[in-house]
Amino acid sequence: MGHNLLEGKKGIIFGALDDQSMAWKVAEKAVEEGAKITLTNAPVALRMGQIQELADSLNAEVIPADATSEEDLENLLSKSMEILGGPVDFILHSIGMSVNVRKNKPYTELNYSWMEKTFDVSAISFHKVMQTAMKLNAVNEWGSILALSYIAAQRTFPDYSEMAESKALLESFARSFGYHWAVKNKVRVNTISQSPTMTTAGQGVKGFHEFFDYADKMSPLGNATADDCADYCITLFSDYTRMVTMQNLYHDGGFSSMGMNPAILDK
């Protein structure tokens, strides 16, 4: 049961693929809390996933958009404002992709053209979304922009490859763009550094299941689930966090503050 935390608010959710996606859970929670939303993903992802099922269940429209294309983003934002009746109050960027990871390229032998694609899809797209939205005045005052990150932006996780640098860039964009948007229109921009989560994308990373178990044991509260992440996103879309901006917020059961957990040694 919702608490109407987003009553009267409008938003755009990027990245829902299937019911394991964090963006899928956020979309469900946002509507449950009273928001009206549009959904978007790249055309190839729309063909692979089940986003239309989600849209039908939430009475939301799906607008295809390649987040690396400024033209597509302009169309997405313009159509969303038309459908929702004006500028939005929140946007979730839940996008990440590495061809090097998919093709099991060792970190010391990366294909640089693939790396550039990784950065464009996983991080630069975040800047493009914000720049386009600001240009179109597509976000209301005190709006909230979120992107999903990971602690590999700060620490070394060898199998995460150049996605680590992508997340570091993503977090830097939140700080830098967050300053400019706060000054211009009081819009806040943050990233959430989430626990390893059993999503379709996450499980594609080499050794993911072993690391998921390790992080779960290392974290005093255990790993935060996709549902937990959705709840946290809702609070950051709500008016209760109006003065939080330019932050990377750890949502990981305490993992980011741990050095060693005796539970690991006992095993």
Side-chain angles (χ1 to χ4, degrees), residues 12-56:
I12 302 172
I13 305 292
F14 284 78
L17 180 68
D18 55 37
D19 60 8
Q20 294 186 65
S21 305
M22 284 184 280
W24 186 291
K25 305 294 187 184
V26 174
E28 290 180 325
K29 290 287 176 74
V31 172
E32 182 182 324
E33 291 294 340
K36 294 181 179 179
I37 64 170
T38 57
L39 298 163
T40 186
N41 213 328
V44 64
L46 296 183
R47 292 194 296 272
M48 293 167 51
Q50 297 129 20
I51 192 172
Q52 191 58 53
E53 294 177 20
L54 176 64
D56 292 342

Short mmCIF file of all heavy atoms in Angstrom, two decimals, residues 12-56:
data_model
loop_
_atom_site.label_atom_id
_atom_site.label_comp_id
_atom_site.label_asym_id
_atom_site.label_seq_id
_atom_site.Cartn_x
_atom_site.Cartn_y
_atom_site.Cartn_z
N ILE A 12 9.73 10.30 -15.59
CA ILE A 12 10.20 9.47 -16.70
C ILE A 12 11.15 8.43 -16.13
O ILE A 12 12.08 8.77 -15.39
CB ILE A 12 10.91 10.31 -17.77
CG1 ILE A 12 9.98 11.40 -18.31
CG2 ILE A 12 11.42 9.41 -18.90
CD1 ILE A 12 10.69 12.39 -19.23
N ILE A 13 10.94 7.17 -16.47
CA ILE A 13 11.78 6.08 -15.99
C ILE A 13 12.51 5.46 -17.17
O ILE A 13 11.90 4.92 -18.10
CB ILE A 13 10.94 4.98 -15.30
CG1 ILE A 13 10.10 5.58 -14.16
CG2 ILE A 13 11.85 3.86 -14.79
CD1 ILE A 13 10.87 6.09 -12.99
N PHE A 14 13.84 5.55 -17.16
CA PHE A 14 14.69 4.91 -18.16
C PHE A 14 15.12 3.53 -17.68
O PHE A 14 15.51 3.37 -16.52
CB PHE A 14 15.98 5.72 -18.37
CG PHE A 14 15.85 6.97 -19.18
CD1 PHE A 14 15.34 8.13 -18.61
CD2 PHE A 14 16.30 7.02 -20.49
CE1 PHE A 14 15.26 9.31 -19.35
CE2 PHE A 14 16.23 8.18 -21.24
CZ PHE A 14 15.70 9.33 -20.67
N GLY A 15 15.09 2.53 -18.56
CA GLY A 15 15.84 1.31 -18.30
C GLY A 15 15.07 0.09 -17.86
O GLY A 15 15.70 -0.95 -17.60
N ALA A 16 13.75 0.15 -17.75
CA ALA A 16 13.01 -1.06 -17.37
C ALA A 16 13.09 -2.07 -18.51
O ALA A 16 12.78 -1.76 -19.65
CB ALA A 16 11.56 -0.73 -17.06
N LEU A 17 13.52 -3.28 -18.19
CA LEU A 17 13.64 -4.33 -19.20
C LEU A 17 12.70 -5.49 -18.90
O LEU A 17 11.93 -5.92 -19.75
CB LEU A 17 15.09 -4.84 -19.25
CG LEU A 17 15.38 -5.95 -20.25
CD1 LEU A 17 15.26 -5.42 -21.68
CD2 LEU A 17 16.78 -6.53 -20.01
N ASP A 18 12.78 -5.99 -17.67
CA ASP A 18 11.91 -7.08 -17.23
C ASP A 18 11.68 -6.92 -15.74
O ASP A 18 12.15 -5.96 -15.12
CB ASP A 18 12.52 -8.45 -17.56
CG ASP A 18 13.92 -8.63 -16.99
OD1 ASP A 18 14.20 -8.14 -15.87
OD2 ASP A 18 14.77 -9.25 -17.67
N ASP A 19 10.95 -7.86 -15.14
CA ASP A 19 10.55 -7.67 -13.74
C ASP A 19 11.69 -7.86 -12.75
O ASP A 19 11.49 -7.74 -11.54
CB ASP A 19 9.36 -8.57 -13.38
CG ASP A 19 9.66 -10.05 -13.55
OD1 ASP A 19 10.82 -10.42 -13.80
OD2 ASP A 19 8.71 -10.84 -13.42
N GLN A 20 12.91 -8.14 -13.25
CA GLN A 20 14.08 -8.15 -12.38
C GLN A 20 14.79 -6.79 -12.36
O GLN A 20 15.68 -6.58 -11.53
CB GLN A 20 15.07 -9.22 -12.86
CG GLN A 20 14.58 -10.64 -12.75
CD GLN A 20 15.66 -11.64 -13.11
OE1 GLN A 20 16.68 -11.75 -12.43
NE2 GLN A 20 15.45 -12.36 -14.18
N SER A 21 14.40 -5.89 -13.26
CA SER A 21 15.06 -4.59 -13.37
C SER A 21 14.73 -3.69 -12.20
O SER A 21 13.57 -3.62 -11.76
CB SER A 21 14.63 -3.88 -14.66
OG SER A 21 14.85 -4.66 -15.79
N MET A 22 15.73 -2.96 -11.72
CA MET A 22 15.47 -1.97 -10.68
C MET A 22 14.54 -0.88 -11.20
O MET A 22 13.67 -0.41 -10.48
CB MET A 22 16.79 -1.40 -10.17
CG MET A 22 17.51 -2.37 -9.24
SD MET A 22 19.02 -1.71 -8.51
CE MET A 22 20.16 -1.91 -9.87
N ALA A 23 14.71 -0.50 -12.47
CA ALA A 23 13.83 0.52 -13.05
C ALA A 23 12.37 0.05 -13.08
O ALA A 23 11.45 0.85 -12.89
CB ALA A 23 14.29 0.87 -14.46
N TRP A 24 12.17 -1.23 -13.29
CA TRP A 24 10.81 -1.81 -13.29
C TRP A 24 10.19 -1.63 -11.91
O TRP A 24 9.03 -1.18 -11.78
CB TRP A 24 10.93 -3.29 -13.64
CG TRP A 24 9.64 -4.06 -13.82
CD1 TRP A 24 8.74 -4.39 -12.85
CD2 TRP A 24 9.14 -4.62 -15.04
NE1 TRP A 24 7.71 -5.12 -13.38
CE2 TRP A 24 7.93 -5.28 -14.72
CE3 TRP A 24 9.59 -4.65 -16.35
CZ2 TRP A 24 7.17 -5.95 -15.68
CZ3 TRP A 24 8.85 -5.32 -17.31
CH2 TRP A 24 7.65 -5.96 -16.97
N LYS A 25 10.97 -1.96 -10.87
CA LYS A 25 10.47 -1.83 -9.50
C LYS A 25 10.19 -0.38 -9.15
O LYS A 25 9.19 -0.06 -8.48
CB LYS A 25 11.48 -2.41 -8.50
CG LYS A 25 11.88 -3.85 -8.77
CD LYS A 25 10.74 -4.82 -8.58
CE LYS A 25 11.22 -6.26 -8.67
NZ LYS A 25 10.11 -7.24 -8.58
N VAL A 26 11.08 0.53 -9.59
CA VAL A 26 10.88 1.95 -9.31
C VAL A 26 9.60 2.45 -9.98
O VAL A 26 8.82 3.20 -9.38
CB VAL A 26 12.09 2.78 -9.77
CG1 VAL A 26 11.81 4.28 -9.61
CG2 VAL A 26 13.33 2.39 -9.00
N ALA A 27 9.38 2.03 -11.22
CA ALA A 27 8.17 2.45 -11.93
C ALA A 27 6.92 2.00 -11.19
O ALA A 27 5.97 2.78 -11.00
CB ALA A 27 8.19 1.87 -13.35
N GLU A 28 6.90 0.75 -10.73
CA GLU A 28 5.75 0.24 -9.99
C GLU A 28 5.52 1.03 -8.71
O GLU A 28 4.38 1.41 -8.38
CB GLU A 28 5.94 -1.24 -9.66
CG GLU A 28 5.86 -2.16 -10.88
CD GLU A 28 6.05 -3.62 -10.53
OE1 GLU A 28 6.85 -3.93 -9.61
OE2 GLU A 28 5.41 -4.46 -11.17
N LYS A 29 6.60 1.30 -7.97
CA LYS A 29 6.48 2.02 -6.70
C LYS A 29 6.05 3.47 -6.92
O LYS A 29 5.27 4.03 -6.14
CB LYS A 29 7.80 1.97 -5.93
CG LYS A 29 8.16 0.61 -5.38
CD LYS A 29 7.31 0.22 -4.18
CE LYS A 29 7.64 -1.20 -3.72
NZ LYS A 29 8.91 -1.30 -3.02
N ALA A 30 6.57 4.09 -7.99
CA ALA A 30 6.22 5.49 -8.26
C ALA A 30 4.72 5.63 -8.52
O ALA A 30 4.07 6.54 -7.98
CB ALA A 30 7.02 6.01 -9.45
N VAL A 31 4.17 4.74 -9.32
CA VAL A 31 2.73 4.79 -9.60
C VAL A 31 1.93 4.46 -8.35
O VAL A 31 0.91 5.09 -8.05
CB VAL A 31 2.39 3.84 -10.76
CG1 VAL A 31 0.88 3.72 -10.94
CG2 VAL A 31 3.03 4.34 -12.06
N GLU A 32 2.40 3.49 -7.59
CA GLU A 32 1.73 3.14 -6.33
C GLU A 32 1.68 4.33 -5.38
O GLU A 32 0.72 4.50 -4.63
CB GLU A 32 2.48 1.98 -5.66
CG GLU A 32 1.85 1.49 -4.37
CD GLU A 32 2.67 0.36 -3.73
OE1 GLU A 32 3.23 -0.46 -4.48
OE2 GLU A 32 2.76 0.32 -2.49
N GLU A 33 2.70 5.19 -5.46
CA GLU A 33 2.76 6.37 -4.59
C GLU A 33 2.07 7.58 -5.19
O GLU A 33 2.19 8.68 -4.67
CB GLU A 33 4.22 6.70 -4.25
CG GLU A 33 4.90 5.69 -3.35
CD GLU A 33 4.29 5.62 -1.95
OE1 GLU A 33 3.60 6.59 -1.55
OE2 GLU A 33 4.50 4.61 -1.26
N GLY A 34 1.37 7.40 -6.31
CA GLY A 34 0.54 8.47 -6.84
C GLY A 34 1.05 9.19 -8.07
O GLY A 34 0.40 10.12 -8.56
N ALA A 35 2.22 8.78 -8.59
CA ALA A 35 2.79 9.48 -9.74
C ALA A 35 2.21 8.98 -11.05
O ALA A 35 1.71 7.86 -11.15
CB ALA A 35 4.31 9.31 -9.75
N LYS A 36 2.32 9.83 -12.07
CA LYS A 36 2.06 9.44 -13.45
C LYS A 36 3.40 9.44 -14.17
O LYS A 36 4.20 10.36 -14.00
CB LYS A 36 1.10 10.41 -14.12
CG LYS A 36 -0.30 10.39 -13.53
CD LYS A 36 -1.22 11.37 -14.25
CE LYS A 36 -2.63 11.33 -13.67
NZ LYS A 36 -3.54 12.30 -14.35
N ILE A 37 3.64 8.41 -14.98
CA ILE A 37 4.96 8.26 -15.58
C ILE A 37 4.87 7.89 -17.06
O ILE A 37 3.84 7.42 -17.54
CB ILE A 37 5.80 7.20 -14.86
CG1 ILE A 37 5.16 5.81 -15.01
CG2 ILE A 37 5.99 7.55 -13.39
CD1 ILE A 37 6.04 4.65 -14.53
N THR A 38 5.99 8.11 -17.75
CA THR A 38 6.24 7.48 -19.03
C THR A 38 7.46 6.58 -18.86
O THR A 38 8.31 6.81 -17.98
CB THR A 38 6.50 8.50 -20.15
OG1 THR A 38 7.60 9.34 -19.80
CG2 THR A 38 5.27 9.33 -20.42
N LEU A 39 7.53 5.56 -19.69
CA LEU A 39 8.63 4.60 -19.67
C LEU A 39 9.42 4.71 -20.96
O LEU A 39 8.85 4.96 -22.03
CB LEU A 39 8.09 3.18 -19.52
CG LEU A 39 7.31 2.88 -18.25
CD1 LEU A 39 6.50 1.60 -18.41
CD2 LEU A 39 8.27 2.75 -17.06
N THR A 40 10.73 4.47 -20.88
CA THR A 40 11.53 4.51 -22.08
C THR A 40 12.69 3.54 -21.99
O THR A 40 13.20 3.23 -20.89
CB THR A 40 12.06 5.93 -22.36
OG1 THR A 40 12.73 5.95 -23.62
CG2 THR A 40 13.02 6.40 -21.27
N ASN A 41 13.11 3.07 -23.14
CA ASN A 41 14.31 2.26 -23.27
C ASN A 41 14.72 2.31 -24.74
O ASN A 41 13.97 2.80 -25.59
CB ASN A 41 14.06 0.81 -22.83
CG ASN A 41 15.30 0.18 -22.19
OD1 ASN A 41 16.43 0.51 -22.57
ND2 ASN A 41 15.09 -0.70 -21.23
N ALA A 42 15.92 1.82 -25.03
CA ALA A 42 16.39 1.78 -26.41
C ALA A 42 15.53 0.82 -27.22
O ALA A 42 15.03 -0.18 -26.69
CB ALA A 42 17.86 1.34 -26.43
N PRO A 43 15.34 1.10 -28.50
CA PRO A 43 14.51 0.22 -29.34
C PRO A 43 14.91 -1.24 -29.27
O PRO A 43 14.04 -2.12 -29.20
CB PRO A 43 14.72 0.80 -30.74
CG PRO A 43 14.97 2.25 -30.51
CD PRO A 43 15.78 2.30 -29.24
N VAL A 44 16.21 -1.55 -29.23
CA VAL A 44 16.64 -2.95 -29.15
C VAL A 44 16.22 -3.58 -27.83
O VAL A 44 15.81 -4.74 -27.78
CB VAL A 44 18.17 -3.08 -29.36
CG1 VAL A 44 18.94 -2.37 -28.24
CG2 VAL A 44 18.58 -4.54 -29.44
N ALA A 45 16.27 -2.80 -26.75
CA ALA A 45 15.85 -3.32 -25.44
C ALA A 45 14.34 -3.54 -25.41
O ALA A 45 13.86 -4.47 -24.76
CB ALA A 45 16.28 -2.35 -24.33
N LEU A 46 13.60 -2.69 -26.11
CA LEU A 46 12.15 -2.85 -26.15
C LEU A 46 11.78 -4.16 -26.84
O LEU A 46 10.81 -4.82 -26.45
CB LEU A 46 11.50 -1.67 -26.88
CG LEU A 46 11.65 -0.29 -26.23
CD1 LEU A 46 10.89 0.75 -27.03
CD2 LEU A 46 11.16 -0.31 -24.80
N ARG A 47 12.56 -4.53 -27.83
CA ARG A 47 12.29 -5.80 -28.53
C ARG A 47 12.64 -7.01 -27.66
O ARG A 47 11.98 -8.05 -27.74
CB ARG A 47 13.07 -5.85 -29.84
CG ARG A 47 12.59 -4.85 -30.88
CD ARG A 47 13.15 -5.16 -32.25
NE ARG A 47 14.60 -5.05 -32.31
CZ ARG A 47 15.25 -3.93 -32.59
NH1 ARG A 47 14.57 -2.81 -32.84
NH2 ARG A 47 16.56 -3.90 -32.64
N MET A 48 13.67 -6.87 -26.82
CA MET A 48 14.15 -7.98 -26.00
C MET A 48 13.34 -8.16 -24.71
O MET A 48 13.17 -9.27 -24.23
CB MET A 48 15.62 -7.76 -25.62
CG MET A 48 16.59 -7.82 -26.78
SD MET A 48 18.22 -7.19 -26.30
CE MET A 48 18.53 -8.11 -24.80
N GLY A 49 12.86 -7.06 -24.16
CA GLY A 49 12.26 -7.10 -22.82
C GLY A 49 10.75 -7.18 -22.84
O GLY A 49 10.13 -7.48 -23.86
N GLN A 50 10.17 -6.90 -21.68
CA GLN A 50 8.72 -7.00 -21.51
C GLN A 50 8.11 -5.69 -21.02
O GLN A 50 7.14 -5.68 -20.27
CB GLN A 50 8.41 -8.11 -20.49
CG GLN A 50 8.87 -9.48 -20.93
CD GLN A 50 9.71 -10.20 -19.89
OE1 GLN A 50 9.68 -9.85 -18.71
NE2 GLN A 50 10.47 -11.18 -20.32
N ILE A 51 8.71 -4.57 -21.45
CA ILE A 51 8.31 -3.28 -20.92
C ILE A 51 6.85 -2.95 -21.21
O ILE A 51 6.19 -2.27 -20.42
CB ILE A 51 9.25 -2.16 -21.44
CG1 ILE A 51 9.02 -0.86 -20.67
CG2 ILE A 51 9.08 -1.97 -22.93
CD1 ILE A 51 10.04 0.22 -21.00
N GLN A 52 6.32 -3.45 -22.33
CA GLN A 52 4.93 -3.15 -22.66
C GLN A 52 3.98 -3.74 -21.61
O GLN A 52 2.94 -3.15 -21.31
CB GLN A 52 4.57 -3.64 -24.06
CG GLN A 52 3.23 -3.13 -24.56
CD GLN A 52 3.14 -1.61 -24.60
OE1 GLN A 52 4.01 -0.95 -25.19
NE2 GLN A 52 2.11 -1.03 -23.97
N GLU A 53 4.35 -4.90 -21.08
CA GLU A 53 3.54 -5.50 -20.01
C GLU A 53 3.49 -4.58 -18.79
O GLU A 53 2.44 -4.39 -18.17
CB GLU A 53 4.12 -6.86 -19.60
CG GLU A 53 4.07 -7.92 -20.69
CD GLU A 53 4.73 -9.20 -20.24
OE1 GLU A 53 4.89 -9.42 -19.02
OE2 GLU A 53 5.11 -10.00 -21.12
N LEU A 54 4.65 -4.01 -18.45
CA LEU A 54 4.70 -3.07 -17.33
C LEU A 54 3.85 -1.85 -17.63
O LEU A 54 3.07 -1.40 -16.77
CB LEU A 54 6.15 -2.66 -17.08
CG LEU A 54 6.38 -1.60 -16.00
CD1 LEU A 54 5.97 -2.12 -14.62
CD2 LEU A 54 7.85 -1.16 -15.98
N ALA A 55 4.00 -1.31 -18.82
CA ALA A 55 3.23 -0.12 -19.21
C ALA A 55 1.73 -0.37 -19.11
O ALA A 55 0.98 0.48 -18.59
CB ALA A 55 3.61 0.31 -20.62
N ASP A 56 1.29 -1.53 -19.59
CA ASP A 56 -0.13 -1.85 -19.54
C ASP A 56 -0.64 -1.92 -18.10
O ASP A 56 -1.74 -1.46 -17.78
CB ASP A 56 -0.40 -3.18 -20.24
CG ASP A 56 -0.17 -3.11 -21.75
OD1 ASP A 56 -0.13 -1.98 -22.29
OD2 ASP A 56 0.00 -4.17 -22.38
#
